[in-house]
């Protein structure tokens, strides 16, 4: 399987998996797409999913990456990545919730980040060393850090703005140790991103340091996100006997829902997709008006979806042949305000006794609006959003063991200013150190 850019319709340049995943973004600024979309055998999906999530993921991953890895290697990579559950919960006859928050950082990004960590580690050749450099405003950094923790030959340097991530998020990034280096930048998130960009644009530095980003558009994060749609479908089909569900997805950068659209193209039966957004409603507006108008984002209480220019828009359009009518026939959009989200959290709790985080709640609200019959994706554990939920429900949310564990650990991080020289020196040191300690890191313990 090779990969091409969404901006290269003539497919003049094709890239290997290794090149595409190390680059992240295509050289022309587009997003990578697989040269063809494999078709699944649904009987085989049902059979494999009956055994386990990992077994199903091995089957699906082999359709894309079967030429790169033997089935034994594929199996060990996938089993290493997916050692947590992914339950489908019934709210009522019509709506089910796919809980994607049982991974190490309690958010759905674990599904992409852990797969990417395992596969990228495997794609290294010989004693090649790789540094993953990433800037975060909170959730992505912790998922990437956890996803790459303990991967041999790979160091992660994650930059976050001082005082601008939650205490829990900081703990998630700074307590892993080993091959994860957390860097607190005395600046804003934009400063962190600018620093990362500066290093990626620095030809001299890049010639001597093998650096890559692990941001959410990377195809190694995107493709495995299609797998849980199949898993949800098998559970739903078994429970209801129905064939084609409505699929509701709380959306920000549209990586998640676009992966669902990929699954549909692989043969997953879907009646329609419904994207749920907060006040950042660029895509629902586009569906309503036919005019795509990205704009600066606004802050909401579902902050992982505060995106004004969704980075996967091009991928979504590519999947629908850049045809607006075609897109509209399978995608419906809905957006809600912070007040809607707060009353939604209360309503879900009252009706079903279910505690739902603010992002998941946007999905439920969209499902209500369209009287959806199918399932809606839950993207984060409610305990990560205590400060929103507790005042609404007048009770605390129970904190799962994974989160309680990190909150009690000692944080370790390096402080720098908004200064590329300081960052370069730090990376240099991290890499030099890793050559002497790589055996201590790869101690065979399970990740996470
Ligand atoms: C990242 C994130 C989203 C948005 O997902 P996209 O793939 O960017 O659309 C939604 N909810 C939570 C909790 C997230 O962390």
């Amino acid at each position: 399987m090779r990969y091409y850019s969404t901006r290269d319709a003539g497919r003049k340049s094709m890239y290997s998996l290794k090149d595409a995943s190390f680059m992240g973004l295509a050289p022309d600024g587009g997003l990578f797409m697989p040269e063809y979309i494999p078709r699944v055998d649904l009987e085989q999906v049902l059979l494999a999913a009956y055994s386990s999530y990992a077994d199903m993921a091995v089957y699906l991953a082999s359709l894309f990456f079967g030429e790169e890895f033997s089935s034994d290697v594929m199996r060990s990579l996938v089993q290493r990545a997916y050692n947590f559950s992914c339950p489908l919960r019934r709210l009522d006859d019509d709506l089910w919730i796919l809980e994607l928050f049982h991974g190490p950082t309690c958010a759905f990004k674990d599904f992409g980040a852990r797969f990417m960590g395992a596969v990228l580690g495997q794609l290294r050749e010989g004693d090649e060393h790789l540094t993953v450099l990433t800037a975060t405003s909170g959730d992505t950094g912790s998922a990437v850090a956890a996803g790459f923790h303990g991967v041999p030959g790979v160091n992660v340097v994650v930059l976050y703005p001082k005082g601008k991530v939650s205490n829990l998020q900081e703990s998630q990034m700074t307590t892993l140790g080993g091959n994860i280096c957390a860097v607190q930048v005395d600046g804003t998130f934009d400063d962190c991103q600018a620093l990362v960009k500066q290093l990626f644009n620095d030809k001299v530095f890049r010639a001597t340091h093998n650096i890559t980003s692990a941001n959410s558009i990377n195809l190694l994060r995107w493709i495995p996100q299609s797998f849980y749609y199949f898993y949800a479908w098998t559970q739903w089909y078994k429970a209801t006997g129905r064939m084609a569900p409505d699929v509701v997805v709380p959306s920000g950068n549209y990586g998640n829902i676009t992966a669902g659209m990929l699954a549909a193209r692989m043969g997953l039966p879907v009646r329609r997709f419904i994207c749920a957004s907060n006040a950042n409603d660029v895509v629902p507006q586009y569906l309503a008006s036919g005019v795509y108008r990205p704009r600066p984002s606004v802050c909401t209480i579902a902050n992982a979806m505060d995106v004004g220019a969704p980075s996967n828009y091009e991928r979504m359009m590519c999947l629908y042949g850049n045809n607006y009518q075609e897109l509209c026939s399978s995608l419906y959009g809905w957006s809600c305000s912070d007040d809607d989200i707060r009353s939604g959290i209360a309503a879900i709790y009252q009706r079903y006794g279910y505690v739902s985080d603010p992002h998941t709640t946007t999905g439920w609200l969209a499902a209500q609006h369209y009287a959806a019959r199918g399932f809606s994706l839950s993207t984060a554990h409610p305990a990560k959003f205590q400060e929103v939920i507790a005042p609404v429900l007048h009770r605390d949310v129970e904190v799962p063991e994974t989160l309680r564990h990190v909150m009690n650990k000692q944080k370790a991080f390096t402080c720098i200013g908004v200064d590329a020289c300081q960052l370069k020196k730090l990376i240099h040191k991290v890499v030099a150190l890793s050559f002497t300690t790589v055996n201590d890191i790869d101690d065979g313990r399970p990740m996470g």
Side-chain angles (χ1 to χ4, degrees):
M1 174 81 76
R2 291 176 309 159
Y3 301 87
Y4 69 97
S5 162
T6 48
R7 297 191 186 169
D8 179 19
R11 305 193 186 189
K12 287 193 194 67
S13 311
M14 302 297 290
Y15 297 85
S16 68
L17 175 64
K18 183 174 175 184
D19 286 345
S21 55
F22 276 49
M23 281 182 207
L25 204 65
D28 62 7
L31 281 73
F32 283 113
M33 296 293 284
E35 64 176 325
Y36 64 90
I37 295 175
R39 294 289 296 185
V40 299
D41 175 349
L42 277 181
E43 282 298 324
Q44 213 162 331
V45 173
L46 277 163
L47 219 72
Y50 187 72
S51 166
S52 72
Y53 186 90
D55 281 330
M56 182 208 66
V58 169
Y59 166 64
L60 295 171
S62 309
L63 299 176
F64 287 95
F65 312 119
E67 293 156 19
E68 275 83 8
F69 307 113
S70 71
S71 55
D72 283 352
V73 169
M74 198 75 245
R75 177 163 300 276
S76 82
L77 294 175
V78 166
Q79 276 171 348
R80 184 173 176 159
Y82 297 132
N83 58 356
F84 50 88
S85 67
C86 177
L88 185 72
R89 304 228 186 263
R90 178 182 177 280
L91 286 188
D92 57 34
D93 280 346
D94 287 331
L95 195 67
W96 300 62
I97 300 276
L98 180 67
E99 290 185 353
L100 297 172
F101 54 68
H102 296 278
T105 72
C106 296
F108 88 93
K109 290 185 176 70
D110 287 329
F111 281 85
R114 283 176 74 80
F115 187 89
M116 180 177 182
V119 172
L120 210 63
Q122 190 69 33
L123 283 171
R124 288 181 314 121
E125 285 163 280
D127 58 0
E128 196 177 5
H129 184 96
L130 188 62
T131 302
V132 173
L133 179 61
T134 186
T136 186
S137 56
D139 268 353
T140 302
S142 45
V144 169
F148 282 81
H149 188 218
V151 175
V154 181
N155 278 103
V156 176
V157 176
V158 49
L159 274 60
Y160 65 94
K162 181 178 175 180
K164 295 193 178 66
V165 302
S166 74
N167 189 31
L168 173 63
Q169 286 170 332
E170 186 171 51
S171 288
Q172 285 183 309
M173 292 183 275
T174 59
T175 59
L176 289 163
N179 62 330
I180 309 301
C181 172
V183 183
Q184 190 186 71
V185 177
D186 194 3
T188 62
F189 170 60
D190 290 338
D191 293 330
C192 296
Q193 259 190 326
L195 275 176
V196 168
K197 247 195 192 140
Q198 213 175 325
L199 260 63
F200 276 110
N201 289 334
D202 185 330
K203 288 206 177 73
V204 178
F205 185 75
R206 289 200 78 166
T208 49
H209 296 80
N210 203 2
I211 52 173
T212 183
S213 81
N215 59 23
S216 68
I217 48 92
N218 197 296
L219 83 155
L220 279 180
R221 284 182 59 181
W222 181 57
I223 289 176
Q225 290 182 167
S226 65
F227 302 167
Y228 47 70
Y229 288 87
F230 285 97
Y231 195 71
W233 177 82
T234 62
Q235 315 298 307
W236 184 78
Y237 173 71
K238 263 187 277 178
T240 66
R242 294 183 207 135
M243 196 64 187
D246 291 329
V247 175
V248 190
V249 188
S251 295
N253 266 320
Y254 283 72
N256 195 353
I257 196 168
T258 310
M261 292 164 171
L262 174 66
R265 291 284 300 279
M266 293 164 71
L268 179 77
V270 174
R271 185 163 79 121
R272 55 186 175 170
F273 285 101
I274 299 169
C275 60
S277 79
N278 55 26
N280 298 282
D281 61 350
V282 171
V283 173
Q285 284 295 334
Y286 171 56
L287 294 169
S289 69
V291 187
Y292 182 62
R293 269 201 209 97
R295 55 172 201 259
S297 63
V298 296
C299 292
T300 75
I301 55 172
N303 58 8
M305 293 167 23
D306 292 348
V307 178
S311 54
N312 282 281
Y313 170 76
E314 277 188 44
R315 219 172 228 155
M316 183 164 77
M317 294 315 291
C318 186
L319 283 171
Y320 287 92
N322 290 303
N323 185 322
Y324 169 71
Q325 298 300 341
E326 190 100 347
L327 179 71
C328 286
S329 66
S330 41
L331 177 64
Y332 294 72
W334 184 246
S335 72
C336 38
S337 67
D338 279 0
D339 283 344
D340 295 336
I341 295 172
R342 284 197 192 86
S343 28
I345 292 170
I348 299 170
Y349 188 63
Q350 256 168 16
R351 275 193 222 176
Y352 314 106
Y354 190 82
V355 182
S356 163
D357 97 285
H359 308 81
T360 304
T361 302
T362 66
W364 184 77
L365 290 162
Q368 294 304 298
H369 176 77
Y370 286 106
R373 289 180 98 190
F375 51 85
S376 185
L377 274 47
S378 175
T379 51
H381 193 288
K384 296 184 89 173
F385 299 92
Q386 284 284 4
E387 67 288 2
V388 176
I389 296 171
V392 174
L393 299 185
H394 309 293
R395 54 160 277 191
D396 281 340
V397 184
E398 206 179 312
V399 179
E401 180 51 38
T402 27
L403 293 183
R404 223 174 316 143
H405 183 67
V406 289
M407 283 197 284
N408 292 330
K409 282 168 86 175
Q410 185 72 33
K411 294 177 189 171
F413 50 83
T414 307
C415 303
I416 66 169
V418 185
D419 176 357
C421 272
Q422 269 183 305
L423 180 58
K424 282 192 227 176
K425 266 193 208 141
L426 178 68
I427 292 175
H428 197 76
K429 204 170 95 189
V430 164
V431 173
L433 261 173
S434 74
F435 278 109
T436 58
T437 58
V438 71
N439 290 325
D440 303 336
I441 294 164
D442 182 25
D443 60 2
R445 275 178 304 150
M447 297 193 298

